[in-house]
Amino acid sequence: SQQGEEDPQALSIQEGENATMNCSYKTSINNLQWYRQNSGRGLVHLILIRSNEREKHSGRLRVTLDTSKKSSSLLITASRAADTASYFCATDAQGGSEKLVFGKGTKLTVNP
Amino acid sequence: DTEVTQTPKHLVMGMTNKKSLKCEQHMGHRAMYWYKQKAKKPPELMFVYSYEKLSINESVPSRFSPECPNSSLLNLHLHALQPEDSALYLCASSPLRGFGQPQHFGDGTRLSIL
């Protein structure tokens, strides 16, 4: 299975701290995306990183990709209570269908 | 507010009922998707439509029947569902079908089968 695995499964931090979530996958990919899902809501696209990129930034988000280790990390700096959500990585398989396969997700809780 | 609108937000139905879920987007996207999400699990792809034509069916049981009447609208017709079909059903769209297309999701329909 191509499915990504995020770790940790759950993360609880204080407001202002940084949060780091990791994603590992099994097959070669074209792209890796990160999504956020607030409780009871749909997913929101955060950032896309292509297989030939190593790092990407968007506001307080920093994503890295290491294709040799088949892993990615999402760093949220200076976290806020509003960042409380589940975070999923999603990959598409090189040479395969372009469908996205989502990892199991990390549930982040930011305490005020 | 999301740009993909799903109705209804909640649906309770018996196993013999027929109902439909509706999804609408006005972003001019030409690819639309149905996902199923169980509690504390990631979304699982069910169907992909590209230019109003079904392009991917992930071996979904025939009691789920998708329909794409036009480029803005996606329906999921439900018939004779089972209790294990209770889940959050998410619709998504992207500008095109293909690699590297960020998907825009609706807030889903929470379906309960009695």
Side-chain angles (χ1 to χ4, degrees), chain B residues 92-106:
Chain B
S93 69
S94 63
L96 296 169
R97 176 189 164 188
F99 294 103
Q101 295 281 325
Q103 294 184 15
H104 298 248
F105 283 79

Side-chain angles (χ1 to χ4, degrees), chain A residues 32-52:
Chain A
L32 186 144
Q33 302 183 41
W34 284 91
Y35 287 81
R36 182 188 77 229
Q37 185 175 31
N38 291 86
S39 181
R41 303 294 300 271
L43 283 77
V44 174
H45 179 261
L46 295 176
I47 201 162
L48 180 151
I49 187 165
R50 303 192 188 282
S51 59
N52 61 354

Side-chain angles (χ1 to χ4, degrees), chain A residues 46-107:
Chain A
L46 295 176
I47 201 162
L48 180 151
I49 187 165
R50 303 192 188 282
S51 59
N52 61 354
E53 297 176 310
R54 292 297 165 258
E55 189 170 312
K56 212 160 180 185
H57 297 256
S58 176
R60 293 183 297 112
L61 306 181
R62 173 178 168 251
V63 167
T64 61
L65 179 64
D66 187 335
T67 52
S68 66
K69 295 181 180 176
K70 293 189 171 56
S71 68
S72 173
S73 67
L74 170 67
L75 168 67
I76 304 175
T77 59
S79 63
R80 306 166 182 169
D83 295 326
T84 294
S86 291
Y87 292 80
F88 295 94
C89 66
T91 55
D92 53 38
Q94 206 172 70
S97 156
E98 78 280 8
K99 74 173 193 179
L100 285 183
V101 177
F102 288 84
K104 295 179 180 177
T106 292
K107 179 153 176 57

Side-chain angles (χ1 to χ4, degrees), chain B residues 7-84:
Chain B
T7 54
K9 292 191 187 309
H10 302 275
L11 180 61
V12 180
M13 56 187 286
M15 289 189 284
T16 58
N17 292 157
K18 283 185 182 180
K19 296 284 185 183
S20 296
L21 309 185
K22 180 178 169 181
C23 173
E24 203 162 359
Q25 58 88 15
H26 295 287
M27 295 178 283
H29 289 176
R30 303 315 299 266
M32 296 185 77
Y33 311 79
W34 280 115
Y35 288 88
K36 174 182 176 181
Q37 186 179 27
K38 302 283 273 186
K40 299 187 191 303
K41 297 289 186 183
E44 293 181 348
L45 182 67
M46 299 174 72
F47 303 104
V48 180
Y49 272 82
S50 177
Y51 289 89
E52 296 98 70
K53 288 186 171 30
L54 183 64
S55 56
I56 296 178
N57 177 342
E58 288 288 296
S59 302
V60 178
S62 60
R63 56 186 185 268
F64 295 91
S65 175
E67 179 197 18
C68 190
N70 59 57
S71 60
S72 301
L73 192 54
L74 186 65
N75 297 320
L76 187 62
H77 303 296
L78 315 172
H79 174 55
L81 295 194
Q82 304 297 307
E84 62 265 27

